[in-house]
Amino acid sequence: MTVRLSGDQWARALHDFERTAFRFECQGTYHEPYEQQALRQHLAGDEPDLTYLRTWLDDVRRGTDAGRRYSRVRVVTDPITDYLRFELAVTPHNEAAGEDVRVLSAARAAELGPLPGTDFWLFDDRLVTVMHFDEREGFQYADAVTTPDQVTQFLEIRERVWDAAVPFREFVMT
């Protein structure tokens, strides 16, 4: 049975893990309503208002101060989309809050064998949340995966993409 997480259940998954939270991001564009103003500002060459991101950054700071680890691998398209340019411009804020962010080119990702076509979070190496998005409304819900065999598959994916990705700072220097 699949447990669908949204609303408060989703918020608890993001905040109640004990040790590690890993995110795999593989979409070229996200359609999150709360990001649209900042995205437009960025595309216009203005400094984006990142108010929408503050709660997340504060949570990451508190979590890392408490010894929890946040990491993510972001797959980037070639050519890179405007949205991913925006995400990469915002990434220094994530890193300053304590996230360990790596970047993986889509070409390199394709060399790694089959990878999921949607994003997921992996919490404490025992809970996977496979994310589902709407093209107009952004994130809708996540399906919780806790079956040990399935979780093991996601652990293996995390190791493959993590090892193949480059640290964000290295990526922006090239």
Side-chain angles (χ1 to χ4, degrees), residues 21-40:
F22 169 80
R23 168 107 184 245
F24 176 69
E25 293 182 351
C26 62
Q27 313 301 307
T29 302
Y30 294 81
H31 303 280
E32 301 302 326
Y34 58 84
E35 291 179 329
Q36 295 310 303
Q37 177 184 346
L39 174 60
R40 283 190 298 276

Side-chain angles (χ1 to χ4, degrees), residues 16-150:
D16 291 351
F17 66 94
E18 296 172 11
R19 298 174 322 279
T20 61
F22 169 80
R23 168 107 184 245
F24 176 69
E25 293 182 351
C26 62
Q27 313 301 307
T29 302
Y30 294 81
H31 303 280
E32 301 302 326
Y34 58 84
E35 291 179 329
Q36 295 310 303
Q37 177 184 346
L39 174 60
R40 283 190 298 276
Q41 291 167 331
H42 174 76
L43 294 175
D46 299 328
E47 187 67 31
D49 177 2
L50 300 180
T51 303
Y52 74 92
L53 192 56
R54 295 290 169 227
T55 300
W56 173 252
L57 297 176
D58 291 345
D59 287 348
V60 171
R61 279 187 197 92
R62 281 190 295 276
T64 55
D65 287 348
R68 297 192 300 173
R69 184 170 189 266
Y70 297 77
S71 60
R72 73 176 67 216
V73 168
R74 179 171 292 140
V75 177
V76 294
T77 58
D78 184 23
I80 192 167
T81 63
D82 286 342
Y83 181 86
L84 288 174
R85 271 193 197 80
F86 165 66
E87 268 201 341
L88 292 171
V90 172
T91 298
H93 297 279
N94 295 75
E95 286 204 321
E99 283 191 57
D100 188 355
V101 180
R102 291 191 179 191
V103 179
L104 181 64
S105 72
R108 181 68 179 111
E111 295 171 356
L112 298 178
L115 295 174
T118 189
D119 295 21
F120 68 86
W121 280 93
L122 174 59
F123 299 105
D124 295 327
D125 294 349
R126 67 175 183 252
L127 169 65
V128 177
T129 57
V130 179
M131 301 174 74
H132 296 272
F133 299 91
D134 178 83
E135 287 191 22
R136 288 190 277 182
E137 299 297 323
F139 174 73
Q140 298 296 297
Y141 62 89
D143 288 328
V145 175
T146 57
T147 306
D149 289 347
Q150 291 178 304

